[in-house]
Amino acid sequence: MRLFLPSPLVLVILSSLVNASVTVYHQVPLADSSVTTTAASANHTSAPAYDSTVLTPPPVPAGLTTQFGIQLSSSSAAVQGLSIPQKGSFMGFSIEFTVVNQIFGVNATYLQVPFLNLMALLRKRGGEVHIRVGGNTQETAVLVDSLPGGVMVAKERGSTDDVTATPKLFYTAEVFYTMANISALVNTKWFLGIPLNDTSNLRLGIAEVGEAVLSGPGYLLGFQVGNEPDLYAAHGVRPSTYSPSDYFGDFGIVAAAVNNDGKIPVKNNLVAPSITGEWTPESVWDTGLVGSYSSSLGALAVEHYPSDNCYALYGIGSPVVPQDVFQNFLNHTSGINIIAPYLNSTSYAQASGLPFIMMETNSASCGGLPGISDTFGATLWALDYGLQMAYGNFSGAMMHVGGQDVYYNPFTPPPTNQSSYHQWTIGSVFYSTIVVAEAFGPSGNAQIIDLQANTDNMFTPAYAIYENGAPVRLVLLNYVSDPSGASDYTATISIGGSAIGQSNATPAQIQVKYLVAPSVSEKYNITWAGQTFGGTFQSDGRLMGSESVQTINCDQSSNTCQVTVPAPGAALVFLSSNAYAESGNPSTQTFSTTMVTKTANTVKIDPSVLATSNGMSGSTWELGSTSKEGNIGTGLRDSLSVVSVVGAAVLSTGILCTWFWS
């Protein structure tokens, strides 16, 4: 269960011209109307996305061993328990349907450039980015031809009986064109959801138009059939007796309808059951769903949050005191315990020839927990949790993104009333996704193993990643928060060697990137390889500062390399120059964010830079159409690789402008 926000009023005004052939549009920041319009001009707002709660870090554990060895085999053939091959896109995002116009952009022509920049960072490291658009609101979503004011998304409050106050959602095909243009720019691929709230009157428009716009270029991954069906009864949208066998029947109705719909050419990309844990996955498998609908299924999926803040919002469940549970997120045992109930299902999925995906997750449902979900502690937790899912043979995990009224967002556009704050706020868990993308890289052949380092100490986990039979990277974490430096640890790494009956294989030197912050309670002073996204309202989606990569000389005579990991912090160790070049040394093509639109907080840009800021000259651009000529969903021109966003720059608002060359 999550919080969902009223749709913002989007205002786009002509602001200035860079030159005669460039039109620049100014747009005020996006947000929801629940935030007061009288907020003081300071870096604080009452919205949870900008909450200032700071908790006390847990005490330093007694008896922590700060010197230990890590022995790696030089060949994966000698390693037992390696994961299935993983992609750099493993950790993606689940974006609540109601906020797509805030995060993606106004429409297919006017995209949010900070979002493009963030996705470009991940794409360069991991090859592509996976995004699920859905959530509770996918169940009430209705595709319409048009909406008042030409918007692509609108919400109707009070139109459903769901206890989480989920609004009814109306959207137009422009949503799909927007997604297609994002994909063409930054190689995103999408999961969507078929509504299951009314099986007597199925709404398959999302599949019909989604296939028409996204499937051809390879941007579409699949369609969820229902969202959290094991909560349907609790939410009052199904009888109290609703069970896995009832879901089996509902899934069958959708599968049959898809098979009989000539407008849906792909018949085998449905995703089920997307349950939260009220039902066990085994209770769904026992219905025979996978065997009965094998020709319709493209993936198996679940959704899970290890904690919740639902009592504070809805009076549901029991109160959770963040300070009391902070320590629960600051150890390796957390991720292990979260995925344990799913290990049987990941094996079942492999045997069935299907990927198993964590379709929606984050630190706590109902918006997250103040002082936890937006901290460096959550950064380390999400990194460890994500790698543990990969080790447990999940094929992907989507970190959920809501609106202004959640604590756990990986990224948040600015609220409308903060007109003097012009940029985005990047949440702590976005750093986790960058590290995962770099750790796995773009090859699609990365295999990971939990090393159970330091005699499996829960505060100092470590993972090794193998590619093409050889160790290529290590991820070392330190959950301890100790500013004295006494809890920094040093891992002595050996590859091969006589101790395991292999030739010495430790390289002459290694490269190391550090993920650090002063404390696990820190919210914004977080750096990845010396770079940061800054604090509240400070990011245009590009890393700021000079990158710092440490080169460590190894002792090949002793077959060892020593890496020190600060407390708190994490280190990504590149064991070869090729491994570093593949994902750790990206030359990311991002989108220009410097243009004159206001007299304050802006800088000038050379027109020649503007002309090539999207990697090509204006004269080579060709516009794709976002119109819906003829059948809906077929308005794109011959190739979706040519998009309607031919150039984009964030304004001083941190939102966007688009220019077209005449």
Side-chain angles (χ1 to χ4, degrees), residues 56 130 280 311 363 381 539 544 607 656:
T56 302
H130 290 182
T280 65
Y311 185 87
S363 51
W381 169 82
S539 180
M544 297 182 287
L656 80 112

Side-chain angles (χ1 to χ4, degrees), residues 177-327:
Y177 292 98
T178 300
M179 294 163 63
N181 283 355
I182 291 170
S183 295
L185 290 168
V186 292
N187 201 25
T188 51
K189 297 183 179 180
W190 310 89
F191 286 102
L192 299 170
I194 294 174
L196 201 59
N197 66 327
D198 185 359
T199 53
S200 299
N201 299 283
L202 286 177
R203 300 189 300 281
L204 296 179
I206 193 167
E208 294 172 349
V209 184
E211 289 278 5
V213 177
L214 299 171
S215 186
Y219 301 149
L220 185 62
L221 295 171
F223 296 97
Q224 283 183 282
V225 178
N227 178 68
E228 302 175 346
D230 53 337
L231 295 181
Y232 283 174
H235 289 179
V237 296
R238 288 291 196 281
S240 60
T241 57
Y242 192 77
S243 68
S245 61
D246 295 311
Y247 177 77
F248 174 93
D250 285 346
F251 185 93
I253 293 171
V254 174
V258 168
N259 284 332
N260 293 327
D261 192 330
K263 297 179 181 178
I264 305 176
V266 179
K267 310 295 185 182
N268 64 344
N269 62 357
L270 301 183
V271 180
S274 303
I275 56 175
T276 67
E278 290 299 312
W279 300 341
T280 65
E282 289 80 4
S283 68
V284 179
W285 315 147
D286 288 346
T287 66
L289 183 141
V290 175
S292 299
Y293 301 114
S294 59
S295 61
S296 297
L297 282 164
L300 304 180
V302 292
E303 303 179 11
H304 185 78
Y305 293 80
S307 186
D308 72 80
N309 196 30
C310 298
Y311 185 87
L313 296 181
Y314 309 116
I316 299 172
S318 302
V320 175
V321 179
Q323 185 66 66
D324 293 346
V325 301
F326 195 15
Q327 61 186 348

Side-chain angles (χ1 to χ4, degrees), residues 6-212:
S7 180
L9 177 62
V10 178
L11 179 62
V12 181
I13 10 178
L14 181 64
S15 175
S16 63
L17 292 175
V18 175
N19 59 41
S21 61
V22 179
T23 303
V24 179
Y25 292 90
H26 174 74
Q27 179 183 319
V28 299
L30 299 167
D32 78 88
S33 59
S34 65
V35 183
T36 174
T37 59
T38 59
S41 57
N43 281 354
H44 174 74
T45 175
S46 59
Y50 316 105
D51 182 75
S52 59
T53 301
V54 176
L55 302 180
T56 302
V60 175
L64 180 70
T65 299
T66 57
Q67 301 279 339
F68 57 88
I70 292 177
Q71 176 67 64
L72 300 178
S73 170
S74 60
S75 170
S76 62
V79 181
Q80 299 296 314
L82 278 171
S83 74
I84 60 175
Q86 301 290 4
K87 297 180 178 181
S89 57
F90 182 89
M91 187 170 278
F93 306 100
S94 163
I95 297 179
E96 194 64 45
F97 206 153
T98 48
V99 299
V100 295
N101 55 340
Q102 300 177 40
I103 292 172
F104 297 165
V106 179
N107 54 39
T109 300
Y110 305 111
L111 302 179
Q112 287 276 23
V113 175
F115 178 73
L116 295 178
N117 284 339
L118 293 170
M119 298 305 103
L121 291 172
L122 296 176
R123 185 240 7 230
K124 187 64 177 180
R125 289 159 171 80
E128 59 189 33
V129 186
H130 290 182
I131 299 176
R132 172 264 194 146
V133 173
N136 283 357
T137 45
Q138 76 185 43
E139 301 283 41
T140 62
V142 178
L143 177 64
V144 296
D145 289 336
S146 62
L147 288 167
V151 299
M152 66 179 185
V153 174
K155 288 166 282 188
E156 181 181 299
R157 280 287 185 181
S159 58
T160 67
D161 296 325
D162 188 341
V163 296
T164 59
T166 303
K168 191 170 185 177
L169 179 72
F170 299 94
Y171 68 100
T172 72
E174 192 70 15
V175 170
F176 304 112
Y177 292 98
T178 300
M179 294 163 63
N181 283 355
I182 291 170
S183 295
L185 290 168
V186 292
N187 201 25
T188 51
K189 297 183 179 180
W190 310 89
F191 286 102
L192 299 170
I194 294 174
L196 201 59
N197 66 327
D198 185 359
T199 53
S200 299
N201 299 283
L202 286 177
R203 300 189 300 281
L204 296 179
I206 193 167
E208 294 172 349
V209 184
E211 289 278 5

Side-chain angles (χ1 to χ4, degrees), residues 384-574:
D384 191 12
Y385 172 38
L387 295 177
Q388 191 64 208
M389 281 189 280
Y391 171 57
N393 293 327
F394 283 75
S395 291
M398 311 296 169
M399 301 301 290
H400 198 58
V401 184
Q404 301 286 327
D405 285 351
V406 302
Y407 301 96
Y408 54 48
N409 279 343
F411 39 77
T412 308
T416 49
N417 68 316
Q418 305 276 332
S419 59
S420 61
Y421 307 126
H422 307 307
Q423 296 181 317
W424 284 37
T425 301
I426 309 306
S428 61
V429 296
F430 187 80
Y431 291 89
S432 312
T433 67
I434 292 182
V435 181
V436 169
E438 287 197 26
F440 288 141
S443 74
N445 296 319
Q447 293 178 274
I448 187 170
I449 187 165
D450 184 340
L451 295 172
Q452 301 178 1
N454 199 10
T455 61
D456 208 15
N457 188 287
M458 68 178 181
F459 299 112
T460 59
Y463 297 87
I465 291 107
Y466 284 73
E467 271 184 13
N468 302 319
V472 290
R473 301 175 194 90
L474 288 169
V475 180
L476 313 176
L477 296 96
N478 190 343
Y479 277 109
V480 180
S481 194
D482 182 1
S484 74
S487 300
D488 297 359
Y489 73 75
T490 299
T492 301
I493 302 161
S494 298
I495 304 176
S498 59
I500 57 173
Q502 296 177 350
S503 300
N504 289 357
T506 299
Q509 63 182 25
I510 57 177
Q511 280 74 43
V512 181
K513 287 187 174 184
Y514 284 103
L515 178 66
V516 295
S519 162
V520 292
S521 298
E522 177 61 45
K523 293 176 181 286
Y524 299 116
N525 187 15
I526 300 169
T527 59
W528 170 237
Q531 296 181 300
T532 184
F533 291 105
T536 306
F537 310 124
Q538 290 184 355
S539 180
D540 62 13
R542 298 184 292 183
L543 285 163
M544 297 182 287
S546 299
E547 185 179 51
S548 174
V549 182
Q550 306 299 313
T551 297
I552 296 176
N553 293 320
C554 303
D555 185 348
Q556 288 187 298
S557 64
S558 64
N559 197 43
T560 59
C561 287
Q562 291 191 325
V563 176
T564 298
V565 183
L572 176 58
V573 183
F574 299 90

